[in-house]
PDB file of all heavy atoms in Angstrom:
ATOM      1  N   LEU A 239       4.629  13.723  -1.924  1.00  0.00           N
ATOM      2  CA  LEU A 239       4.688  13.436  -0.443  1.00  0.00           C
ATOM      3  C   LEU A 239       3.918  12.227  -0.244  1.00  0.00           C
ATOM      4  O   LEU A 239       2.670  12.085  -0.573  1.00  0.00           O
ATOM      5  CB  LEU A 239       4.189  14.662   0.269  1.00  0.00           C
ATOM      6  CG  LEU A 239       4.146  14.501   1.738  1.00  0.00           C
ATOM      7  CD1 LEU A 239       5.595  14.319   2.349  1.00  0.00           C
ATOM      8  CD2 LEU A 239       3.388  15.720   2.524  1.00  0.00           C
ATOM      9  N   HIS A 259      12.811  11.963  -7.075  1.00  0.00           N
ATOM     10  CA  HIS A 259      12.857  12.441  -5.636  1.00  0.00           C
ATOM     11  C   HIS A 259      11.561  12.360  -5.111  1.00  0.00           C
ATOM     12  O   HIS A 259      10.662  13.143  -5.504  1.00  0.00           O
ATOM     13  CB  HIS A 259      13.439  13.866  -5.637  1.00  0.00           C
ATOM     14  CG  HIS A 259      13.811  14.163  -4.191  1.00  0.00           C
ATOM     15  ND1 HIS A 259      14.214  15.595  -3.934  1.00  0.00           N
ATOM     16  CD2 HIS A 259      13.942  13.488  -3.109  1.00  0.00           C
ATOM     17  CE1 HIS A 259      14.477  15.606  -2.598  1.00  0.00           C
ATOM     18  NE2 HIS A 259      14.221  14.508  -2.085  1.00  0.00           N
ATOM     19  N   VAL A 260      11.285  11.457  -4.176  1.00  0.00           N
ATOM     20  CA  VAL A 260       9.921  11.357  -3.377  1.00  0.00           C
ATOM     21  C   VAL A 260      10.187  11.530  -1.877  1.00  0.00           C
ATOM     22  O   VAL A 260      11.184  11.074  -1.343  1.00  0.00           O
ATOM     23  CB  VAL A 260       9.425  10.013  -3.649  1.00  0.00           C
ATOM     24  CG1 VAL A 260       8.119   9.821  -2.913  1.00  0.00           C
ATOM     25  CG2 VAL A 260       9.099   9.755  -5.126  1.00  0.00           C
ATOM     26  N   PHE A 261       9.345  12.385  -1.379  1.00  0.00           N
ATOM     27  CA  PHE A 261       9.384  12.687   0.022  1.00  0.00           C
ATOM     28  C   PHE A 261       8.573  11.718   0.813  1.00  0.00           C
ATOM     29  O   PHE A 261       7.247  11.643   0.749  1.00  0.00           O
ATOM     30  CB  PHE A 261       8.882  14.102   0.350  1.00  0.00           C
ATOM     31  CG  PHE A 261       9.689  15.203  -0.391  1.00  0.00           C
ATOM     32  CD1 PHE A 261       9.373  15.648  -1.589  1.00  0.00           C
ATOM     33  CD2 PHE A 261      10.895  15.651   0.235  1.00  0.00           C
ATOM     34  CE1 PHE A 261      10.162  16.549  -2.240  1.00  0.00           C
ATOM     35  CE2 PHE A 261      11.584  16.696  -0.360  1.00  0.00           C
ATOM     36  CZ  PHE A 261      11.278  17.176  -1.643  1.00  0.00           C
ATOM     37  N   PHE A 262       9.155  10.720   1.594  1.00  0.00           N
ATOM     38  CA  PHE A 262       8.399   9.853   2.377  1.00  0.00           C
ATOM     39  C   PHE A 262       8.175  10.373   3.799  1.00  0.00           C
ATOM     40  O   PHE A 262       9.026  10.834   4.408  1.00  0.00           O
ATOM     41  CB  PHE A 262       9.206   8.391   2.424  1.00  0.00           C
ATOM     42  CG  PHE A 262       9.192   7.723   1.133  1.00  0.00           C
ATOM     43  CD1 PHE A 262      10.318   7.553   0.476  1.00  0.00           C
ATOM     44  CD2 PHE A 262       8.021   7.207   0.602  1.00  0.00           C
ATOM     45  CE1 PHE A 262      10.421   6.858  -0.811  1.00  0.00           C
ATOM     46  CE2 PHE A 262       8.021   6.518  -0.575  1.00  0.00           C
ATOM     47  CZ  PHE A 262       9.222   6.344  -1.389  1.00  0.00           C
ATOM     48  N   GLN A 263       6.959  10.291   4.166  1.00  0.00           N
ATOM     49  CA  GLN A 263       6.500  10.706   5.517  1.00  0.00           C
ATOM     50  C   GLN A 263       6.134   9.689   6.498  1.00  0.00           C
ATOM     51  O   GLN A 263       5.417   8.686   5.994  1.00  0.00           O
ATOM     52  CB  GLN A 263       5.229  11.767   5.336  1.00  0.00           C
ATOM     53  CG  GLN A 263       4.894  12.433   6.685  1.00  0.00           C
ATOM     54  CD  GLN A 263       3.474  12.025   7.051  1.00  0.00           C
ATOM     55  OE1 GLN A 263       2.837  11.124   6.495  1.00  0.00           O
ATOM     56  NE2 GLN A 263       2.912  12.835   8.006  1.00  0.00           N
ATOM     57  N   SER A 264       6.579   9.721   7.646  1.00  0.00           N
ATOM     58  CA  SER A 264       6.179   8.713   8.754  1.00  0.00           C
ATOM     59  C   SER A 264       5.202   9.542   9.695  1.00  0.00           C
ATOM     60  O   SER A 264       5.584  10.745  10.208  1.00  0.00           O
ATOM     61  CB  SER A 264       7.431   8.134   9.493  1.00  0.00           C
ATOM     62  OG  SER A 264       6.898   7.321  10.451  1.00  0.00           O
ATOM     63  N   GLY A 267       6.175  11.781  12.805  1.00  0.00           N
ATOM     64  CA  GLY A 267       6.775  13.032  12.854  1.00  0.00           C
ATOM     65  C   GLY A 267       8.029  13.133  11.900  1.00  0.00           C
ATOM     66  O   GLY A 267       8.974  13.822  12.457  1.00  0.00           O
ATOM     67  N   LEU A 268       8.043  12.505  10.708  1.00  0.00           N
ATOM     68  CA  LEU A 268       9.357  12.692  10.044  1.00  0.00           C
ATOM     69  C   LEU A 268       8.983  12.650   8.601  1.00  0.00           C
ATOM     70  O   LEU A 268       8.260  11.881   8.043  1.00  0.00           O
ATOM     71  CB  LEU A 268      10.326  11.513  10.289  1.00  0.00           C
ATOM     72  CG  LEU A 268      11.558  11.278   9.459  1.00  0.00           C
ATOM     73  CD1 LEU A 268      12.531  12.411   9.779  1.00  0.00           C
ATOM     74  CD2 LEU A 268      12.232  10.002   9.840  1.00  0.00           C
ATOM     75  N   ILE A 269       9.604  13.668   7.917  1.00  0.00           N
ATOM     76  CA  ILE A 269       9.549  13.750   6.323  1.00  0.00           C
ATOM     77  C   ILE A 269      10.945  13.514   5.899  1.00  0.00           C
ATOM     78  O   ILE A 269      11.838  14.305   6.397  1.00  0.00           O
ATOM     79  CB  ILE A 269       8.990  15.005   5.758  1.00  0.00           C
ATOM     80  CG1 ILE A 269       7.388  14.964   6.039  1.00  0.00           C
ATOM     81  CG2 ILE A 269       9.155  15.096   4.314  1.00  0.00           C
ATOM     82  CD1 ILE A 269       6.682  16.205   5.587  1.00  0.00           C
ATOM     83  N   GLY A 270      11.210  12.581   4.962  1.00  0.00           N
ATOM     84  CA  GLY A 270      12.546  12.377   4.376  1.00  0.00           C
ATOM     85  C   GLY A 270      13.172  11.087   4.957  1.00  0.00           C
ATOM     86  O   GLY A 270      14.330  10.971   5.166  1.00  0.00           O
ATOM     87  N   THR A 271      12.322  10.093   5.264  1.00  0.00           N
ATOM     88  CA  THR A 271      12.878   8.824   5.704  1.00  0.00           C
ATOM     89  C   THR A 271      13.710   8.089   4.556  1.00  0.00           C
ATOM     90  O   THR A 271      13.409   8.282   3.275  1.00  0.00           O
ATOM     91  CB  THR A 271      11.721   7.789   6.028  1.00  0.00           C
ATOM     92  OG1 THR A 271      10.827   7.629   4.935  1.00  0.00           O
ATOM     93  CG2 THR A 271      11.007   8.373   7.257  1.00  0.00           C
ATOM     94  N   GLY A 272      14.825   7.496   5.048  1.00  0.00           N
ATOM     95  CA  GLY A 272      15.705   6.859   4.053  1.00  0.00           C
ATOM     96  C   GLY A 272      15.535   5.281   4.194  1.00  0.00           C
ATOM     97  O   GLY A 272      14.569   4.835   4.818  1.00  0.00           O
ATOM     98  N   PRO A 273      16.601   4.663   3.677  1.00  0.00           N
ATOM     99  CA  PRO A 273      16.620   3.259   3.732  1.00  0.00           C
ATOM    100  C   PRO A 273      16.636   2.516   5.167  1.00  0.00           C
ATOM    101  O   PRO A 273      17.154   3.475   6.029  1.00  0.00           O
ATOM    102  CB  PRO A 273      17.799   2.693   2.910  1.00  0.00           C
ATOM    103  CG  PRO A 273      18.204   4.014   2.164  1.00  0.00           C
ATOM    104  CD  PRO A 273      17.783   5.143   2.994  1.00  0.00           C
ATOM    105  N   TRP A 283      16.023   6.207  18.711  1.00  0.00           N
ATOM    106  CA  TRP A 283      15.008   7.280  18.702  1.00  0.00           C
ATOM    107  C   TRP A 283      14.595   7.651  17.230  1.00  0.00           C
ATOM    108  O   TRP A 283      13.911   8.587  17.157  1.00  0.00           O
ATOM    109  CB  TRP A 283      15.614   8.595  19.419  1.00  0.00           C
ATOM    110  CG  TRP A 283      17.034   8.962  19.087  1.00  0.00           C
ATOM    111  CD1 TRP A 283      18.173   8.514  19.591  1.00  0.00           C
ATOM    112  CD2 TRP A 283      17.383   9.718  17.869  1.00  0.00           C
ATOM    113  NE1 TRP A 283      19.191   8.995  19.058  1.00  0.00           N
ATOM    114  CE2 TRP A 283      18.809   9.775  17.933  1.00  0.00           C
ATOM    115  CE3 TRP A 283      16.768  10.396  16.989  1.00  0.00           C
ATOM    116  CZ2 TRP A 283      19.565  10.507  16.958  1.00  0.00           C
ATOM    117  CZ3 TRP A 283      17.487  10.997  15.894  1.00  0.00           C
ATOM    118  CH2 TRP A 283      18.830  10.987  16.016  1.00  0.00           C
ATOM    119  N   LEU A 284      15.120   6.908  16.328  1.00  0.00           N
ATOM    120  CA  LEU A 284      14.674   7.280  14.888  1.00  0.00           C
ATOM    121  C   LEU A 284      14.027   6.078  14.304  1.00  0.00           C
ATOM    122  O   LEU A 284      14.683   5.064  13.873  1.00  0.00           O
ATOM    123  CB  LEU A 284      16.020   7.655  14.061  1.00  0.00           C
ATOM    124  CG  LEU A 284      15.762   8.312  12.680  1.00  0.00           C
ATOM    125  CD1 LEU A 284      14.971   9.615  12.759  1.00  0.00           C
ATOM    126  CD2 LEU A 284      17.109   8.604  11.904  1.00  0.00           C
ATOM    127  N   VAL A 292      14.632   3.478  11.085  1.00  0.00           N
ATOM    128  CA  VAL A 292      14.851   4.082   9.803  1.00  0.00           C
ATOM    129  C   VAL A 292      15.919   4.951   9.740  1.00  0.00           C
ATOM    130  O   VAL A 292      16.659   5.305  10.845  1.00  0.00           O
ATOM    131  CB  VAL A 292      13.536   4.926   9.390  1.00  0.00           C
ATOM    132  CG1 VAL A 292      12.361   3.993   9.222  1.00  0.00           C
ATOM    133  CG2 VAL A 292      13.174   6.055  10.350  1.00  0.00           C
ATOM    134  N   THR A 293      16.410   5.463   8.576  1.00  0.00           N
ATOM    135  CA  THR A 293      17.304   6.556   8.417  1.00  0.00           C
ATOM    136  C   THR A 293      16.691   7.869   7.975  1.00  0.00           C
ATOM    137  O   THR A 293      15.520   7.797   7.437  1.00  0.00           O
ATOM    138  CB  THR A 293      18.448   6.077   7.478  1.00  0.00           C
ATOM    139  OG1 THR A 293      17.852   5.793   6.226  1.00  0.00           O
ATOM    140  CG2 THR A 293      19.279   4.935   7.929  1.00  0.00           C
ATOM    141  N   ALA A 294      17.394   8.910   8.120  1.00  0.00           N
ATOM    142  CA  ALA A 294      16.947  10.210   7.654  1.00  0.00           C
ATOM    143  C   ALA A 294      17.847  10.683   6.560  1.00  0.00           C
ATOM    144  O   ALA A 294      19.007  10.824   6.744  1.00  0.00           O
ATOM    145  CB  ALA A 294      16.786  11.128   8.804  1.00  0.00           C
ATOM    146  N   LEU A 295      17.293  11.095   5.489  1.00  0.00           N
ATOM    147  CA  LEU A 295      18.107  11.626   4.380  1.00  0.00           C
ATOM    148  C   LEU A 295      18.487  13.038   4.677  1.00  0.00           C
ATOM    149  O   LEU A 295      17.859  13.725   5.426  1.00  0.00           O
ATOM    150  CB  LEU A 295      17.352  11.491   3.018  1.00  0.00           C
ATOM    151  CG  LEU A 295      16.787  10.138   2.641  1.00  0.00           C
ATOM    152  CD1 LEU A 295      16.004  10.269   1.353  1.00  0.00           C
ATOM    153  CD2 LEU A 295      18.057   9.278   2.313  1.00  0.00           C
ATOM    154  N   PRO A 296      19.541  13.494   3.958  1.00  0.00           N
ATOM    155  CA  PRO A 296      19.858  15.012   4.120  1.00  0.00           C
ATOM    156  C   PRO A 296      18.699  15.835   3.808  1.00  0.00           C
ATOM    157  O   PRO A 296      17.963  15.647   2.747  1.00  0.00           O
ATOM    158  CB  PRO A 296      20.976  15.159   3.152  1.00  0.00           C
ATOM    159  CG  PRO A 296      21.582  13.704   2.976  1.00  0.00           C
ATOM    160  CD  PRO A 296      20.407  12.803   3.085  1.00  0.00           C
ATOM    161  N   GLY A 297      18.430  16.900   4.646  1.00  0.00           N
ATOM    162  CA  GLY A 297      17.315  17.705   4.416  1.00  0.00           C
ATOM    163  C   GLY A 297      16.026  17.282   5.129  1.00  0.00           C
ATOM    164  O   GLY A 297      14.967  17.816   5.035  1.00  0.00           O
ATOM    165  N   ALA A 298      16.064  16.130   5.800  1.00  0.00           N
ATOM    166  CA  ALA A 298      14.913  15.575   6.320  1.00  0.00           C
ATOM    167  C   ALA A 298      14.306  16.443   7.541  1.00  0.00           C
ATOM    168  O   ALA A 298      15.165  17.202   8.089  1.00  0.00           O
ATOM    169  CB  ALA A 298      15.161  14.218   7.030  1.00  0.00           C
ATOM    170  N   SER A 299      13.009  16.468   7.808  1.00  0.00           N
ATOM    171  CA  SER A 299      12.438  17.371   8.734  1.00  0.00           C
ATOM    172  C   SER A 299      11.807  16.444   9.898  1.00  0.00           C
ATOM    173  O   SER A 299      11.021  15.454   9.438  1.00  0.00           O
ATOM    174  CB  SER A 299      11.441  18.239   8.137  1.00  0.00           C
ATOM    175  OG  SER A 299      11.244  19.209   8.180  1.00  0.00           O
ATOM    176  N   THR A 300      11.937  16.896  11.042  1.00  0.00           N
ATOM    177  CA  THR A 300      11.235  16.199  12.309  1.00  0.00           C
ATOM    178  C   THR A 300      10.243  17.227  12.951  1.00  0.00           C
ATOM    179  O   THR A 300      10.458  18.344  12.945  1.00  0.00           O
ATOM    180  CB  THR A 300      12.179  15.673  13.284  1.00  0.00           C
ATOM    181  OG1 THR A 300      12.883  16.688  13.774  1.00  0.00           O
ATOM    182  CG2 THR A 300      13.011  14.603  12.674  1.00  0.00           C
ATOM    183  N   PHE A 301       9.196  16.673  13.352  1.00  0.00           N
ATOM    184  CA  PHE A 301       8.143  17.544  14.004  1.00  0.00           C
ATOM    185  C   PHE A 301       7.295  16.595  14.864  1.00  0.00           C
ATOM    186  O   PHE A 301       7.401  15.418  14.870  1.00  0.00           O
ATOM    187  CB  PHE A 301       7.279  18.215  12.843  1.00  0.00           C
ATOM    188  CG  PHE A 301       7.007  17.375  11.702  1.00  0.00           C
ATOM    189  CD1 PHE A 301       6.020  16.515  11.616  1.00  0.00           C
ATOM    190  CD2 PHE A 301       7.898  17.551  10.609  1.00  0.00           C
ATOM    191  CE1 PHE A 301       5.738  15.709  10.464  1.00  0.00           C
ATOM    192  CE2 PHE A 301       7.716  16.723   9.467  1.00  0.00           C
ATOM    193  CZ  PHE A 301       6.678  15.799   9.430  1.00  0.00           C
TER     194      PHE A 301
END
Side-chain angles (χ1 to χ4, degrees):
L239 179 59
H259 191 188
V260 177
F261 298 91
F262 289 111
Q263 183 243 18
S264 180
L268 175 64
I269 289 178
T271 59
W283 46 266
L284 192 58
V292 294
T293 54
L295 299 175
S299 223
T300 59
F301 34 85

